[in-house]
Amino acid sequence: MAELRAEIPNLAAALAGALHDGRHEEALWVVVALRPALADVALPEGLLDALAAALASGRGEPELRSRACTLLGLLGARIGRPSARDDVDQGVALAPPTSPARARALHAAASVRWRLTSDAAGALRLVNEARAAQRL
């Protein structure tokens, strides 16, 4: 974990460089590819802002954008980012209906809903929808 934390400034620089060069989709791919590692690390607000900027470009396939929105919402919820719930909801909206990304996005939306509002009924509804999406 210490090695990963030490690389966060490099990740931020890579995202900033990709955005500067107009390579928004590549920025999304980098962050999405690192998702398993990032799940255990709190990222600085500035890095999340860069991810949000890459998403705001509108570039990238819907599934990639869904995965990036979902990750942005999960990471944002961890640090109390006000847009976290909207980010995961956008991830659900972008996910193709019969894709694994939809089940992941619904699960993330349930997690964020529970973490931010303790809305058990809403979170359970999303978990059940995610389970149904996995069976498609």
Side-chain angles (χ1 to χ4, degrees), residues 38-85:
L38 297 178
D40 295 321
V41 176
L43 297 179
E45 185 81 20
L47 204 144
L48 297 182
D49 290 342
L51 177 54
L55 283 162
S57 75
R59 296 186 190 145
E61 297 177 9
E63 186 166 343
L64 171 62
R65 293 176 48 71
S66 170
R67 293 173 67 189
C69 283
T70 298
L71 181 58
L72 178 60
L74 285 168
L75 295 172
R78 184 177 299 149
I79 63 168
R81 189 175 169 98
S83 65
R85 187 167 170 184

